[in-house]
Every structure is written in structure tokens, then in C-alpha cells.
Amino acid sequence: MTQLLLNIDPSLVDWSRAQFALTAMFHWIFVPITLGILFIIAIMETIYVKTGDPEWKRTTKFWMKLFGINFAVGVATGLILEFEFGTNWSNYSWFVGDIFGAPLAIEGIMAFFMESTFIAVMFFGWNKVSKKFHLASTWLTALGANISALWILVANAWMQYPAGMEFNAETARNEMVNFWDVLFSPVAINKFLHTVTSGYVLAALFVIGVSSYFLLRKREVLMAKRSIIISSVFGFLAILSVIFTGHGSAVEVAKHQPMKLAAMEGLYKGGEGVELIGFGILNPEKTADNDVDPFVFKFGFKGMLSYLISFDSKSYVPGINDLLKGDENHNVISVEQRMEKGDIAMNALIAYKEAKASENAEEAAVQLAIFKENFSHFGYSYVDKPVDVVPNVPMVFYSFHIMVILGTLFVLMFIIFGWMTMKNKIDKFKFSKLLYYLGILGIPLAFIASEAGWIVAEVGRQPWVIQDLMTTTAGVTNISSSSVQLTFWIFAFIFTGLLITEVSIMIRFIKAGPAKPENDGGTEL
Amino acid sequence: MEYTKEILSFLAWPVLIYVAYRLSLVALNIFRKNSEKTINAK
Amino acid sequence: MITAQLTYMFFQQYWWFLVSLLGALLVFLLFVQGGQTLIYTIGKTENERNMIVNTLGRKWEFTFTTLVTFGGAFFASFPLFYSSSFGGAYWAWTALLLAFTIQAVSYEFRSKAGNIFGPRFFETLLFINGLLGTILIGTVVGTFFNGAEFSVDMMKSVTWHSPARGLEAVLNWHNVALGLAIFFLARILGLLYFMMTISHEEMYKRAKKHLLINTIPFLVFFLAFAAWLLLKDGFAVDADGIVFMEKYKYLHNFLAMPVVLIIFLIGVVGVLFGVLKTLFNKKNYDKGFWFAAPGTVFTVLAVLLIAGYNNTAFYPSSFDLQSSLTIQNASSSLFTLKAMSIVSLLIPFVLAYIVIAWRAINKKKITNEEIIDKNEITY
């Protein structure tokens, strides 16, 4: 711990984190629907344009209106989220702004304008532009929304695995040296695909849930069945991608954030041939300091974690205690050692700055060399005591396992719903009603799985705001804790109001159902 | 090339959307045939 | 070495231009906010109000997106501004953000069944957004010329020295004059936009009357701001990066960069021409918007350019002169600016499709019939 940050109030960090988490989690209620439902709508409209069947137009318009209700809150929370990097994490903003700002700006230029321009055509253009122009607008809106997700996820991935940059001691910040390393970092690619396709899964479950409601009420049967078919196909493909890239992400986590992986699995003592926990209940007594058995109950697969990480069931995976205390046999450096190296880096940086100021070039060069040698541990100079680098294990562990278990359920749901509807048996067998209820239940479950994923990603990397380089304590804006507390409650109040209103409007809208068929004739069935 | 693997995985994304569209058409077709069968049976 | 420095300076200037341009476009697009403060002034029946909300509702995303992009571009090109101003002037920015947060949803929720609070509530939110959004943006931009109370240390960590965290900007009448000028300008643009896009005789007459009512305070505040700007001392930077006070700095900047002065004058003339032509035309002239809107872009662009160009500190610190931000000391690295500049080549394409989509949607004026037709998706 260096003298620079002694006066940061710990409750300031907590409230700033709470505020960011609040905004991000609210934002993530609305965004995944947007990401996925736009493609579902685009597919429906494509079929409408190809077949000219007015029932498809009705279906398209229904989901489009539902999307419209949802869209604005995502935009509103997104605005806050972007500016919170500046308002609440100003030291972070300088430290990484040279890299992190670029994706945000590109997001605006490339994606947001595309989305907001064509969304207006999508909503207001039905009778103003040609069918093809309208269809193109729908696809472009979907593309714009997803590209914006790409850039913000690239930025997020960079915080988990800072690639393509070098620290410039002169300006006291990280500077980009390779744009492609930032964009095509394996963490970024996995994160992008995993996150957007998880949004598709959520949107597909949303459509299935609403359609199940219609089937339960025996209304809009054709629209509901067609919607279920498209969503099941889309959702099934998406969840295959989620599984595949989820595995890819875990491999990257093992490489760059071993502590996060250990927390995800509740793994205190690592070793060779580590088992994968299917499910378990953690012992609340367990800390990194005691010898209590971490699990009250567990069931797992032997050697599976090792196998999944490296395709070798005998490979070594470090646990929380190995990472804390170090493991010489496997080249794991203890946190205490890393803290020492971090302090060396920090002191060298300060000495370098002082030498520069007094124009002592020789001394500056010496200090700079020391700094560079120890830079990969730089962030550890902000750490108070080793155990502070352990994230909240139960939160990460349970979130991770809930996400995986629900994901498995969703695979089954897509198969069952898709198959039964395709065979046109969904409303003609014994357990129809049960299936509809499952479909409706799928909506909240999808949100739980989705938010759990973000908890794994973001709580799992604590205390780092940038892995190994900067802690949240060091990144936070220097402001009174009570100010942040106040804005937290203001945001919480407004967001909750928005959410309640939106849900209320959605329910009313769904109950009312799609518009009456237009006069040019509807289809039977 | 350096980023081949990453670019290829990235391209999986539009492919996924396209395949979803084509498979939806196939599934909808099966559904149409099956529902016609149901109506004829009545 | 010297060429490298020149290149760096070129990109810093280029990005200051782009950020200024985005800021200028943002102020032009605030016509949506200005219009929102006139819903009840111009719309006397529910149908009329629906027409207003729907003609504005097709454009709110543009304003919103420009605001977000402005933030993103500023972050990417001048991160020190982002970290010092946003974190420092915490309450000013948070208030501004809140004023915009309530906007997006109001369009979507206003006329929907089950919206709990009723249309009036959301119309009030739109009014608040129009009032605070415009005045706060102007007031915050005012600090570009008046300075703010912050200091930056060796590690570029920022300390703010006013407990009001940015809200103290309203204590300076010059900042507030700019805020109010932008507020009335936004209303003028909003009125011209109604005249252009709504087909309704009575509403046109009302808009014309209010055009005059809003132009007078606009001129008062704008001229007060402009006169004061030209006469005041400014924050200049010498070759070693030392900041010092220079008499008539902003006047000097205009004179040193005649192109910027010409842009400024064209802009002012454009706004006035658009307004006056509408006011004094006997027929229902409805294209005034297309003079006043580019006029706004030019004027604001020129004002922002003189804040940063010609060795001027664009975000001066009145607490510690040497902590002031210039486009040199606040910018990103050369590499990032270059990479971003390549991306900026997309901007013409973006503008092109915006124009195409705008024209496609605004081909016909909004009529009463369209609003009544429930099959159309309306706000």
C-alpha cells in the first residue's frame, strides 16, 4: 500500500461499486431482449416480405411494439453507464482512457447512429418507405444494436485482460500500441459471442414465454406457434454458441484470472486432476485462513475441471490458497511477493517522475527500467493484505452454478418447444398446460441466468478494476461517500420506477394482444 | 495470419444468424405440413 | 522528432475539431428539447399535443445518440477532460444525465395503456428534460471560458475544490447567460421544426407568435454572452505549456483565425435569417429551420474552436492555472488518435444514411389523420 491512497474512504468504493452494479444490472435487463428480439423480428419480417402473408406482418408488428416498449429504458440506463466511468471512476478513466475510450467512441460512431437512425424508420416507416427499405432498416437496427454490444464488450474484456497496450511513465497512463490486439483479444471474442448469444437465448425465451401465455389462453394460436418455432430454432443455435464460448471464456479465465476460476468452483486447495463441481453447498464458515472443508455437500466430476481447461484431466489448477501463498512447484508467485514487486514498481515510478522533474536523466532511466521489470505486479501496490485479492466466493460460486444449471434447462426447453410445435402437438397432448407454465417461467429464469453471468464476470474479478494493474480503490473518483450514496438512491428510485412502469405497460399490451388483422385478409389455422 | 482463429470465430456470428433463418424456414414448413394434416384429419 | 510532433499536433487539432463538431450538432439537435418545453404552449388539444410529441419523437434518438457519442469521442480523444470534468463536476453532470434519463422513456410510455402515471406526467418529464437539459449543457460549456476549480497532480489524479461539485458554475452569470441563450435557441429551433413538419393552420400561427417571443430573450442572452466573451481575459498557453492570462484572448483568437470568424458570422446570420424570414413572410413559410439549424451548427462550432485552438486552454482551472487542460496535455496518445481518425472516416457514411432516413420519414408532414390512425405506431 502506498502513501498515495491512504485517504480513500472504503465506503466510497463500496457505494461507487454499488452504483455501477445497479446501473449495469438494470441496463442488462433491457439490453439482452433488444439484442435478440431484433433478429427474431427481422427473420419474421423477411418471411413477410417474401410471402406477402399479412399474418406475418401482424406478428412482426406485435413483437416490434413489445420491443419498442423495452428499448427506451435500455437507452436511458446506457447513457448513465457510459458517463459513470467519468463521474465515478475518474482515476480509472485517466489510467486507461487511451485504450478504453476508443471502443466507446467507435461504438457511438459505428453503432449507435445506425441503431437510432433505422429504428425510426422501423417504427414510423411502415407506410412511408418501400417494403424492402423497411426490411433493410429492421436488419440494420439489429446489426447496429449488436455492433454496439461488440465495442462495449471489447472494452470490458480489456479490463479483464489488458492486451495491446504499454504503460507510459511520462503520462502515468496505459497507452494503446496495437488496436488489433485489443479488438481480437481471445478474451474479447469469447466475451462478445458469449454475451450477445446469451442475449439471443434470453430473447428467445421471452418470445416463447409470451407465446405460451397466448396458447394457454387459446388466443392468437397461429402467431404463438410460429413465434415459438422461430425462437426455438434461434434460441437452440444461440445456446450452443453460449456453451461453446462459455467454455472458451473459462479457458481464458484460467489463463488470465486464475483467482476468478478458483472462486467460481469454490476451489481452495488446487492440484492436479481437479474435479468439476456439478453442484454443491458451500460451508459458510470457510475462509482462506482456516482449514474447514469448503463444502457441506457437493457432487462433482473427477478430473473434469482440469480436462475442460486444458484437455488434460491430469493438468494443474491452482486453488485460492495456492494463489495466495504461492506454489513453487507450479510457478505460482504468492500474493505477498507480488505486493512487494508492486511496491517496487510504484516507488520506481515516483522516483522516475522526481528524477525527470529534476532533469536527472540517468537516474530516470534506472528507475524506469526497475518500473518496467515489475510492472505486471503494479496493481498489487494498492493491495492492503493478501486476502483482499480473493473475491466473494459464495456469490461467484452460486452465480456460476445457477447459470450453468439453468443453461442446461434452456437447451431442453428449446428442443421440447421446437419439436412439439413443429409437430403441431404442443396444444394437443396431456401436459400442454404444464409446458405453457414452464414457458412462462422461462422468462424470469432467463433473466436470473443472464444477470448471474455478469455477477460471475464482475464480482469474480474483484478487487481489480483492471486485472493486476488497478484496484477499485485506486480507480474511484475522489468525492464524498455521501454524494455517491445520494446518487445511488436517486438512480435506484428512478430505475425502479421505470422498470415497474415498463412491466405494467408490457403486461397490458400482451393482454390486449396484437392489432386486429388488416382488411387485406388474414390467414386461417 | 496472427488473428485467423479470432476472425473465424467472429464470423461464426453472422453465420449463426443466417443458419437460424434457414432452419426456421425448414421448421415452419414442417409445421405447416403437420397442421394441414391435423385439419384434414378433422 | 519535429515532424512527429507536428503530426501529433495535427491529430490533436483534428480531434478537437471533431469534438467541437459533435458539440455543435448536439446543440442543433436540442431542438427536440426546445420543442418539448412547448407542448402545452403550441398544442391546445390532445390531438395537437399528440402531433407535437410524434413529430419530435421521430428525432429524439438523434439527440440522445449525439450526446452519447460526444461523451465517447471526448473520452477517447481527450481522456483527461473526461476524468477531471466528469468526476470533478459530479453534480453538474449527474443532474444533466438525470435530465436526459427521463426523456427517452417518456416518449415510449406517454400514450401507452398501463403507464401508471398518465400522459401528463410524462409530458412534465419531457418539459423538465427540455428545460434542464439545455440550460445545464450551456452552463457547463460556459466553464470552458470561465474555468473551474480543480487541480491535477503528478499522477493526473484530479481534486475538485468546490464542495458544490460543478453546480457552482451557475454562480457565474456568464455561464448562465450561455445556458439561457441555448435554452431559447432550442425553443426557436423547436418552433421552426413544428412549422416545417406539422400540417396545421392554427398551430402554425401559434408557433409564429411564440417565435417572436423567444427570439427576443435569445438575442439578449446571446449578445450578452458574445460581447462578454470578446472583451474578457482568456486562458492562453505559451510554447512550454505554461498557462497565463491574456487580455482579449478570445477576440484575438477570432482575429488570428479569420476562417473561424467567418464560420461564426455565417452561423449567426443563418440563425437570424431563418427566424426573420419566417416572421416576416406573409405566406406560411416553413423552411426557416433549414437556415437556423445549420446556422446553429456553425455558430457553436466556431465558439468551441476558439476555446481550444490558437494556444488556448479549453478547460481552464481557476484554482490552479497550471492544471488547466489544453488539447496538448489532455489528449490521447498519437497511436490512439490515429486509430480513431481512421474510424472517423466512416462519419460521412453515417451522415449520408442519416440524411436518407430523415428524408424518408419527413417526406410528408404530420397530419391529424395520421395521429388518429391507431394502426400506426405512435408515441
Side-chain angles (χ1 to χ4, degrees):
Chain A
M1 184 81 184
T2 54
Q3 63 279 26
L4 284 175
L5 296 145
L6 282 173
N7 50 1
I8 291 285
D9 172 4
S11 83
L12 168 66
V13 183
D14 291 343
W15 281 106
S16 302
R17 280 184 59 204
Q19 178 165 313
F20 201 88
L22 174 85
T23 320
M25 291 185 82
F26 262 97
H27 188 56
W28 193 249
I29 295 175
F30 311 100
V31 171
I33 299 190
T34 299
L35 292 176
I37 207 169
L38 277 167
F39 280 120
I40 296 179
I41 293 170
I43 290 175
M44 288 171 171
E45 194 182 339
T46 308
I47 301 175
Y48 160 63
V49 171
K50 281 201 157 178
T51 61
D53 176 354
E55 178 65 18
W56 275 114
K57 184 177 180 184
R58 238 179 113 234
T59 308
T60 308
K61 276 189 150 187
F62 173 75
W63 295 113
M64 207 176 265
K65 281 198 186 188
L66 214 46
F67 156 71
I69 298 167
N70 162 77
F71 176 69
V73 193
V75 175
T77 45
L79 176 80
I80 305 271
L81 206 51
E82 177 187 1
F83 285 91
E84 264 178 16
F85 291 118
T87 55
N88 292 84
W89 303 96
S90 67
N91 287 330
Y92 163 84
S93 290
W94 171 254
F95 194 65
V96 306
D98 196 59
I99 303 129
F100 195 84
L104 258 67
I106 298 173
E107 182 179 20
I109 294 169
M110 274 178 76
F112 284 152
F113 277 108
M114 192 190 257
E115 191 179 359
S116 60
T117 304
F118 291 105
I119 210 169
V121 180
M122 205 170 100
F123 282 140
F124 297 106
W126 281 107
N127 298 328
K128 293 196 171 70
V129 300
S130 71
K131 270 188 188 176
K132 284 201 171 149
F133 186 6
H134 192 277
L135 178 62
S137 301
T138 306
W139 278 103
L140 286 170
T141 309
L143 194 64
N146 279 268
I147 291 179
S148 77
L150 167 69
W151 291 105
I152 194 63
L153 291 167
V154 165
N156 179 280
W158 187 86
M159 296 159 81
Q160 321 268 354
Y161 170 53
M165 64 89 173
E166 249 169 40
F167 188 86
N168 182 341
E170 193 77 37
T171 52
R173 69 173 173 194
N174 297 290
E175 292 183 354
M176 182 152 51
V177 292
N178 188 333
F179 179 78
W180 304 113
D181 275 355
V182 176
L183 174 58
F184 290 126
S185 119
V187 178
I189 294 290
N190 271 303
K191 185 172 268 296
F192 166 67
L193 292 172
H194 188 67
T195 312
V196 295
T197 47
S198 81
Y200 303 167
V201 170
L202 186 142
L205 287 166
F206 178 78
V207 172
I208 289 177
V210 174
S211 303
S212 296
Y213 165 80
F214 282 123
L215 290 178
L216 192 65
R217 288 289 149 96
K218 298 198 167 58
R219 289 171 51 198
E220 301 299 337
V221 172
L222 178 63
M223 184 194 90
K225 286 181 182 172
R226 283 172 165 182
S227 301
I228 288 178
I229 289 179
I230 293 178
S231 310
S232 301
V233 171
F234 184 58
F236 180 71
L237 290 172
I239 204 156
L240 292 185
S241 152
V242 169
I243 293 167
F244 189 73
T245 52
H247 171 243
S249 292
V251 173
E252 296 301 327
V253 167
K255 274 189 221 155
H256 308 298
Q257 302 172 301
M259 185 61 90
K260 188 197 272 186
L261 184 75
M264 280 156 71
E265 282 294 290
L267 179 67
Y268 281 85
K269 196 176 165 358
E272 281 155 11
V274 176
E275 75 175 335
L276 180 77
I277 307 293
F279 194 71
I281 294 176
L282 292 171
N283 188 340
E285 307 280 301
K286 176 70 188 172
T287 65
D289 307 324
N290 63 21
D291 279 336
V292 180
D293 185 350
F295 287 95
V296 178
F297 154 83
K298 71 173 174 184
F299 112 91
F301 308 94
K302 236 185 165 174
M304 199 60 179
L305 185 64
S306 292
Y307 180 77
L308 284 176
I309 296 310
S310 57
F311 294 109
D312 170 9
S313 60
K314 294 273 184 295
S315 70
Y316 172 75
V317 182
I320 292 169
N321 287 334
D322 308 303
L323 290 162
L324 281 177
K325 301 201 178 96
D327 183 345
E328 279 173 15
N329 299 332
H330 297 96
N331 283 327
V332 180
I333 314 172
S334 77
V335 172
E336 219 156 300
Q337 277 171 298
R338 296 196 78 170
M339 282 164 67
E340 277 164 28
K341 286 173 191 273
D343 280 344
I344 294 173
M346 179 61 92
N347 291 330
L349 178 62
I350 294 166
Y352 165 82
K353 286 254 161 194
E354 279 161 1
K356 267 273 170 179
S358 55
E359 291 179 4
N360 185 346
E362 212 173 304
E363 173 68 9
V366 173
Q367 293 298 339
L368 189 61
I370 300 176
F371 170 75
K372 288 205 160 147
E373 197 190 314
N374 293 288
F375 177 67
S376 60
H377 312 284
F378 183 72
Y380 285 85
S381 69
Y382 300 113
V383 175
D384 252 337
K385 47 188 189 303
V387 72
D388 287 353
V389 304
V390 183
N392 183 328
V393 177
M395 207 164 163
V396 178
F397 174 84
Y398 288 120
S399 300
F400 175 63
H401 285 86
I402 286 171
M403 174 180 80
V404 172
I405 290 166
L406 286 177
T408 318
L409 171 72
F410 299 156
V411 179
L412 293 176
M413 277 179 70
F414 289 131
I415 293 174
I416 296 169
F417 271 90
W419 182 259
M420 293 306 281
T421 319
M422 216 163 66
K423 289 281 172 191
N424 200 21
K425 282 183 181 150
I426 188 157
D427 47 359
K428 298 177 185 64
F429 81 122
K430 234 164 74 186
F431 302 110
S432 284
K433 271 200 168 174
L434 209 62
L435 201 55
Y436 300 152
Y437 283 120
L438 177 65
I440 295 169
L441 185 68
I443 298 179
L445 291 181
F447 280 106
I448 291 171
S450 206
E451 297 282 2
W454 276 112
I455 292 174
V456 174
E458 300 303 297
V459 177
R461 68 168 153 130
Q462 291 304 319
W464 303 111
V465 65
I466 308 154
Q467 187 69 35
D468 294 346
L469 297 184
M470 188 181 233
T471 57
T472 45
T473 332
V476 78
T477 298
N478 185 5
I479 189 171
S480 72
S481 169
S482 56
S483 290
V484 183
Q485 212 170 326
L486 183 56
T487 49
F488 173 88
W489 288 113
I490 295 174
F491 287 142
F493 178 74
I494 292 182
F495 294 161
T496 311
L498 294 181
L499 180 66
I500 292 172
T501 317
E502 173 180 315
V503 171
S504 157
I505 294 176
M506 270 200 175
I507 290 174
R508 278 287 275 278
F509 180 77
I510 293 167
K511 278 187 177 163
K516 294 249 155 56
E518 288 169 29
N519 288 337
D520 41 349
T523 22
E524 295 296 313
L525 294 181
Chain B
M1 216 182 93
E2 202 179 342
Y3 305 107
T4 316
K5 189 172 154 252
E6 277 72 30
I7 292 174
L8 283 180
S9 354
F10 187 70
L11 287 177
W13 171 51
V15 171
L16 179 121
I17 307 289
Y18 181 71
V19 173
Y21 167 66
R22 296 308 304 226
L23 276 182
S24 291
L25 289 184
V26 174
L28 283 165
N29 224 350
I30 299 173
F31 166 65
R32 193 172 49 83
K33 282 184 187 143
N34 281 324
S35 42
E36 274 164 8
K37 254 188 256 165
T38 329
I39 287 174
N40 291 340
K42 278 181 188 167
Chain C
M1 188 64 199
I2 288 181
T3 30
Q5 240 167 19
L6 278 178
T7 332
Y8 199 7
M9 271 177 67
F10 166 77
F11 281 105
Q12 285 163 336
Q13 307 251 348
Y14 174 65
W15 273 93
W16 183 253
F17 174 79
L18 284 185
V19 167
S20 302
L21 183 64
L22 276 168
L25 289 170
L26 177 62
V27 175
F28 143 54
L29 290 164
L30 287 178
F31 77 83
V32 174
Q33 271 64 25
Q36 284 167 197
T37 62
L38 293 157
I39 297 177
Y40 276 83
T41 318
I42 305 299
K44 295 296 177 196
T45 66
E46 204 191 316
N47 249 338
E48 289 174 8
R49 288 194 282 276
N50 283 343
M51 285 161 86
I52 291 176
V53 172
N54 275 280
T55 193
L56 292 173
R58 297 161 189 210
K59 302 298 173 223
W60 73 261
E61 286 111 332
F62 285 122
T63 319
F64 214 91
T65 306
T66 309
L67 176 64
V68 175
T69 308
F70 176 73
F74 227 141
F75 192 6
S77 48
F78 301 99
L80 191 55
F81 170 77
Y82 201 83
S83 64
S84 50
S85 180
F86 285 84
Y90 187 81
W91 281 110
W93 288 108
T94 304
L96 185 67
L97 293 181
L98 285 173
F100 275 87
T101 308
I102 55 177
Q103 183 211 22
V105 292
S106 295
Y107 282 105
E108 305 267 9
F109 291 176
R110 178 180 159 274
S111 67
K112 299 268 192 319
N115 66 4
I116 301 177
F117 304 102
R120 213 58 224 222
F121 175 78
F122 292 103
E123 282 153 11
T124 312
L125 293 187
L126 288 177
F127 180 86
I128 295 172
N129 167 243
L131 182 74
L132 288 183
T134 50
I135 295 178
L136 281 172
I137 285 183
T139 307
V140 170
V141 171
T143 61
F144 283 25
F145 303 98
N146 281 316
E149 296 173 40
F150 65 93
S151 58
V152 180
D153 73 6
M154 180 175 81
M155 293 297 176
K156 305 280 180 177
S157 176
V158 175
T159 311
W160 202 262
H161 297 278
S162 162
R165 300 297 294 214
L167 291 180
E168 71 279 359
V170 300
L171 296 178
N172 184 313
W173 73 268
H174 187 225
N175 295 340
V176 178
L178 183 59
L180 289 171
I182 288 183
F183 170 67
F184 286 107
L185 177 62
R187 281 165 71 98
I188 291 173
L189 291 171
L191 289 166
L192 292 171
Y193 180 74
F194 294 160
M195 293 167 146
M196 183 176 74
T197 56
I198 300 176
S199 167
H200 193 292
E201 190 71 23
E202 284 303 306
M203 289 171 79
Y204 183 92
K205 278 190 194 145
R206 260 174 250 148
K208 198 161 172 170
K209 189 179 117 201
H210 283 276
L211 186 59
L212 183 65
I213 297 174
N214 283 285
T215 303
I216 294 164
F218 163 68
L219 284 176
V220 170
F221 289 117
F222 176 72
L223 292 175
F225 168 78
W228 195 82
L229 179 66
L230 296 178
L231 297 176
K232 86 183 286 286
D233 299 351
F235 298 82
V237 192
D238 71 10
D240 298 324
I242 307 294
V243 181
F244 63 99
M245 298 308 288
E246 182 183 322
K247 283 218 173 301
Y248 303 112
K249 173 65 181 161
Y250 300 106
L251 178 63
H252 290 166
N253 281 0
F254 269 131
L255 297 176
M257 299 179 289
V259 179
V260 178
L261 179 63
I262 292 170
I263 293 176
F264 180 74
L265 293 175
I266 292 178
V268 174
V269 170
V271 174
L272 291 178
F273 182 79
V275 172
L276 295 177
K277 178 142 189 183
T278 313
L279 280 178
F280 293 110
N281 201 299
K282 295 250 156 36
K283 287 183 196 141
N284 283 0
Y285 182 71
D286 63 357
K287 295 283 182 286
F289 186 78
W290 287 127
F291 292 100
T296 304
V297 176
F298 281 1
T299 311
V300 179
L301 176 64
V303 169
L304 289 175
L305 288 182
I306 63 157
Y309 279 179
N310 198 34
N311 302 318
T312 314
F314 75 85
Y315 196 55
S317 167
S318 49
F319 179 86
D320 165 32
L321 216 49
Q322 300 318 319
S323 287
S324 298
L325 309 191
T326 65
I327 61 177
Q328 275 82 39
N329 71 17
S331 90
S332 286
S333 66
L334 178 59
F335 183 90
T336 297
L337 289 181
K338 274 186 180 169
M340 298 280 308
S341 299
I342 294 170
V343 176
S344 76
L345 298 177
L346 288 171
I347 291 175
F349 294 97
V350 175
L351 289 175
Y353 70 64
I354 289 178
V355 170
I356 292 173
W358 180 301
R359 288 178 54 161
I361 295 298
N362 283 39
K363 251 189 305 205
K364 284 187 232 128
K365 288 196 180 191
I366 286 207
T367 58
N368 230 338
E369 292 71 46
E370 187 181 336
I371 294 301
I372 295 166
D373 180 5
K374 289 289 174 212
N375 245 337
E376 275 298 287
I377 295 183
T378 49
Y379 286 137

